[in-house]
Amino acid sequence: MHTDWMGRYRALIAALVQHSNITSRAQILDIGEGVCISSVSWQVMEYLIEHEEETDCMNRVSEALGIPQSSFSKIARHLTTLGLVERFRTAGNRKNIILCPTEKARRLYDSFSRTIYEHNFRPFFEALDSLDGETLANFTEALNLLNGQLAKNGSSPEAELIPLD
């Protein structure tokens, strides 16, 4: 079977595949003050700063970012060790861990995000400036639908349990 099934979306799919492969590489970022973290750790820290007023448990954050829970736990532990994240729990639930960014995380984020904007995202945003709000929202929704399908396809179906002798 050829790739004809993608029709006019072939170039978009190729760009998404390339983007996915580039972002999956282990990129280490020197975010300042001698702190080096992976690009995925940066995304976790960014999410926590952006959603600082919410009290989502670690499982919800890992799902929102599409990071497997085991990897997310390691990232959270590393960010805590670096003094970028603090761990909390709610009074009524000892199992759900809530992660909160520290002042150090906010400071480093404010500084390094300007660098990321200038070097990576400014040209990208400028290329998208010609899209109106509705078109951009439609594309974002389509990408979220694709992400949802891909996440669902990657999960294991519910397994039938067979009793042991």
Side-chain angles (χ1 to χ4, degrees):
M1 177 176 196
H2 293 79
T3 58
D4 298 345
W5 62 271
M6 293 180 237
R8 70 186 188 122
Y9 304 107
R10 181 64 189 116
L12 174 61
I13 297 301
L16 286 171
V17 166
Q18 183 184 38
H19 174 76
S20 174
N21 290 329
I22 289 169
T23 58
S24 70
R25 293 180 194 157
Q27 300 172 0
I28 301 300
L29 307 171
D30 180 349
I31 64 172
E33 298 182 22
V35 176
C36 295
I37 60 175
S38 71
S39 53
V40 177
S41 294
W42 172 264
Q43 292 166 5
V44 170
M45 190 173 82
E46 180 174 62
Y47 183 93
L48 295 173
I49 290 170
E50 184 177 6
H51 297 89
E52 203 165 359
E53 300 303 316
E54 300 168 24
T55 56
D56 287 342
C57 66
M58 287 177 50
N59 289 344
R60 286 200 189 110
V61 177
S62 73
E63 288 172 11
L65 292 172
I67 300 171
Q69 289 178 12
S70 60
S71 298
F72 188 84
S73 293
K74 290 175 189 172
I75 292 166
R77 194 174 315 114
H78 183 64
L79 291 173
T80 302
T81 301
L82 292 171
L84 300 172
V85 168
E86 293 178 307
R87 296 163 44 103
F88 296 89
R89 66 175 177 83
T90 58
N93 189 332
R94 304 185 104 191
K95 288 185 177 185
N96 288 342
I97 304 298
I98 312 299
L99 301 175
C100 296
T102 63
E103 185 55 41
K104 179 179 179 180
R106 287 185 212 89
R107 184 177 63 252
L108 291 173
Y109 180 81
D110 285 343
S111 173
F112 193 68
S113 62
R114 285 181 240 140
T115 302
I116 287 177
Y117 172 76
E118 283 301 321
H119 289 114
N120 298 333
F121 286 94
R122 188 175 54 80
F124 176 68
F125 294 157
E126 287 172 355
L128 294 173
D129 279 346
S130 64
L131 301 180
D132 63 49
E134 183 178 350
T135 302
L136 186 57
N138 289 342
F139 179 76
T140 302
E141 181 181 352
L143 190 54
N144 284 332
L145 286 170
L146 176 62
N147 289 342
Q149 283 301 120
L150 294 174
K152 187 170 35 173
N153 290 342
S155 63
S156 337
E158 286 198 31
E160 177 185 352
L161 299 179
I162 300 170
L164 298 173
D165 295 330

